[in-house]
Amino acid sequence: MITISLCMIVKNEESRLRRCLDSVADLVDEIVIVDTGSTDKTRDIALEYTKMVYDYEWVDDFSAARNYAFSKATGDYIYSADADEVLDEENRKRFLLLKETLLPEVEIVQMRYGGQLRFHTVYNFDREYRPKLFKRLREFVWLGPVHETVRLEPVVYDSDIVITHLPDSSHAKRDLEVFRRHCSLGWRLPKRLHNMYARELLLAGDAEDFAGAEAFFAASAADGGRDGEEIAQACCVVAHGARLAGDTVKFFKYASKVIAEEANSEICCEMGHFYEDAKDLEEAAVWYYNAVYETAPILNRLAGGKEPLEGLLRCYEAMGCPEQAEVYRNELIRLIAEGEPEPTGGTGVR
C-alpha cells in the first residue's frame, strides 16, 4: 500500500482547520502544514495533529508556498488540501480504498471538487475534476521500439472521490488583488491564468476590480503574441469595465473588436445591458437573444443562459408583451430545473 503525505498551506484558519484534519488525518501517513503568517490559533491547532509545522514568509505567491510544503514531504504520494475542504464518510471510504489499490504507475489522481459555486468566483461548474494526489518522485520511462522517447505526459487517474468545499466567504477579492499586483509589475500571464483572471473578474469582480485590471487587459487586447481566444477574453473584460464606468466610446471600441471577429455570449450580454440601460428595449432584446441562441460563452457559462434569459424576460415585460415574456419565463424555469451540466471530460491537469 502506498504512503501519503498531506500537505497544506494555511493562514488564520482556526475556524476550519480542525474540521478538515479530522476528516483526513487518519487516512494519511504524514501531515505537513506550512503557516504563512497566522495571527490566530491556527499554528496551535496544527501542532495537535503533527510536529511537521513550518513557518513560511509570505511572498504573495501561492505556488512558492505550496512548493515549500511539498519539499518537506516524504511519502510516496502527496495529497494537497486546503483548510476549507472536507471528506465526508462515504468519500473517506473511497479515499482509503484508493490508497489500498492505487497502481504505482499512476502519477496524478484527480478528484471531484464539490461546492465551487458556494461563493461565485472563478468556476462555472459546482463539481469539477481537480488534480489532488501527486506522486512525489516521478519515474521516467522510455517508449517505442525505435525512435524512442521519454514519456512526458503524466499518467492521470480520475477517481470517484468527491471533496466538499466549505468556504466561509469568497476569496475573489484576495485572488484579484494578487493578479493585479503581479500584473502591475510586468508579469505576463500564461494562457491558463489569463483565462482565470478574466473569468474571475466577470464572475465576481466589482467596478474597482475592473478599474484595477483595465490597463493589463487593454494591453493584452493589443498584444500580437496573444491568440484570438485571449484577445477576445481581454476585450470582454475591458468592455464590461467600460460599461460599468459609463465610458461609451471605450465600451463600443472593445465590444466591436469581438463582434468583428466572432461574437460570444458575454459581449452580446454586454450589448443587451447597454441598450437596456439606455431604455432601447427592442435592441436590448435582440442582443440578449443572440447571447442565448446565436453565440456561445467563453468565460461565464451564465452569459449563455440564465443572464440573457432574465434580460429577455425583463425587456418583454417592460414592453408589454406578456406572451413573449412567458416564453422566456418558461425557458428560464426549464433551465433552472435541468440543473447544472457536468463538464465533459473533466478539467485535466491544470
Side-chain angles (χ1 to χ4, degrees), residues 12 19 48 85 99 118 141 153 159 164 239-240 270 273 304 310 312 318:
N12 293 337
R19 179 185 64 189
E48 295 175 17
E85 298 174 7
K99 182 179 180 181
R118 195 177 187 88
V141 178
E153 293 298 318
S159 75
T164 302
H240 182 83
E270 292 297 332
H273 286 302
E310 289 175 338
L312 285 164

Side-chain angles (χ1 to χ4, degrees), residues 235-290:
C235 288
C236 286
V237 168
V238 180
H240 182 83
R243 183 174 65 79
L244 293 180
D247 190 334
T248 301
V249 173
K250 184 178 292 181
F251 170 76
F252 276 103
K253 174 182 176 180
Y254 286 92
S256 297
K257 287 178 183 290
V258 176
I259 295 167
E261 291 296 325
E262 184 177 1
N264 53 56
S265 296
E266 286 84 354
I267 215 66
C268 289
C269 273
E270 292 297 332
M271 295 290 285
H273 286 302
F274 176 86
Y275 284 110
E276 186 179 2
D277 291 343
K279 309 302 180 185
D280 188 344
L281 299 180
E282 288 188 4
E283 187 67 16
V286 169
W287 286 104
Y288 285 137
Y289 181 93
N290 283 329

Side-chain angles (χ1 to χ4, degrees), residues 9 11 59 61 65 67 72 100 108-109 123 137 150-151 175 194 225 234 253 263 275 277 297 311 323 335 344 346:
I9 60 172
K11 182 179 180 180
V59 293
D61 188 329
N67 285 335
K72 300 298 183 180
E100 293 172 344
I108 295 175
V109 177
Y123 299 102
L137 299 176
V150 170
R151 175 175 54 77
D175 294 347
H194 186 278
K253 174 182 176 180
Y275 284 110
D277 291 343
E323 292 183 358
L335 182 71
T344 57

Side-chain angles (χ1 to χ4, degrees), residues 6-283:
L6 168 64
C7 285
M8 303 178 68
I9 60 172
V10 296
K11 182 179 180 180
N12 293 337
E13 300 285 5
E14 67 176 5
S15 66
R16 294 170 289 271
L17 183 57
R18 186 175 279 108
R19 179 185 64 189
C20 171
L21 290 173
D22 283 345
S23 77
V24 73
D26 61 329
L27 302 176
V28 300
D29 304 278
E30 177 179 78
I31 298 175
V32 176
I33 298 180
V34 170
D35 188 277
T36 61
S38 294
T39 55
D40 62 4
K41 296 179 180 178
T42 294
R43 202 175 190 284
D44 294 334
I45 294 170
L47 287 167
E48 295 175 17
Y49 294 83
T50 179
K51 295 180 180 179
M52 299 180 72
V53 178
Y54 302 92
D55 294 316
Y56 182 81
E57 184 177 352
W58 180 244
V59 293
D60 211 22
D61 188 329
F62 285 95
S63 290
R66 291 198 190 279
N67 285 335
Y68 179 74
F70 273 32
S71 75
K72 300 298 183 180
T74 63
D76 300 326
Y77 285 80
I78 297 173
Y79 177 56
S80 179
D82 292 326
D84 56 8
E85 298 174 7
V86 175
L87 284 174
D88 63 23
E89 193 56 39
E90 179 182 0
N91 287 289
R92 278 171 43 81
K93 292 176 182 176
R94 291 172 176 171
F95 192 102
L96 182 58
L97 180 62
L98 175 75
K99 182 179 180 181
E100 293 172 344
T101 60
L102 188 65
L103 297 175
E105 58 264 31
V106 174
E107 294 167 317
I108 295 175
V109 177
Q110 296 204 124
M111 302 176 188
R112 288 193 183 275
Y113 210 64
Q116 292 187 145
L117 302 184
R118 195 177 187 88
F119 293 99
H120 221 31
T121 53
V122 73
Y123 299 102
N124 278 312
F125 299 96
D126 200 47
R127 280 192 180 186
E128 194 169 36
Y129 270 123
R130 285 192 186 183
K132 295 294 291 181
L133 188 68
F134 306 87
K135 195 166 190 178
R136 187 172 63 86
L137 299 176
R138 188 174 183 193
E139 298 168 353
F140 289 97
V141 178
W142 287 91
L143 300 174
V146 66
H147 299 302
E148 66 281 359
T149 185
V150 170
R151 175 175 54 77
L152 301 178
E153 293 298 318
V155 178
V156 180
Y157 170 64
D158 292 343
S159 75
D160 59 356
I161 297 170
V162 179
I163 298 166
T164 302
H165 187 213
L166 296 173
D168 294 336
S169 60
S170 171
H171 296 156
K173 271 290 182 184
R174 177 201 69 187
D175 294 347
L176 290 171
E177 179 58 20
V178 171
F179 272 124
R180 187 199 64 77
R181 285 200 299 267
H182 281 276
C183 290
S184 69
L185 295 173
W187 182 34
R188 179 182 173 80
L189 293 184
K191 185 172 182 175
R192 181 183 71 90
L193 290 180
H194 186 278
N195 173 278
M196 295 190 78
Y197 189 12
R199 192 163 9 128
E200 191 155 12
L201 279 165
L202 289 180
L203 288 170
D206 57 24
E208 180 184 26
D209 297 320
F210 278 92
E214 180 185 328
F216 170 78
F217 281 103
S220 185
D223 186 345
R226 297 284 183 186
D227 63 23
E229 184 179 357
E230 292 169 295
I231 291 171
Q233 294 165 3
C235 288
C236 286
V237 168
V238 180
H240 182 83
R243 183 174 65 79
L244 293 180
D247 190 334
T248 301
V249 173
K250 184 178 292 181
F251 170 76
F252 276 103
K253 174 182 176 180
Y254 286 92
S256 297
K257 287 178 183 290
V258 176
I259 295 167
E261 291 296 325
E262 184 177 1
N264 53 56
S265 296
E266 286 84 354
I267 215 66
C268 289
C269 273
E270 292 297 332
M271 295 290 285
H273 286 302
F274 176 86
Y275 284 110
E276 186 179 2
D277 291 343
K279 309 302 180 185
D280 188 344
L281 299 180
E282 288 188 4
E283 187 67 16

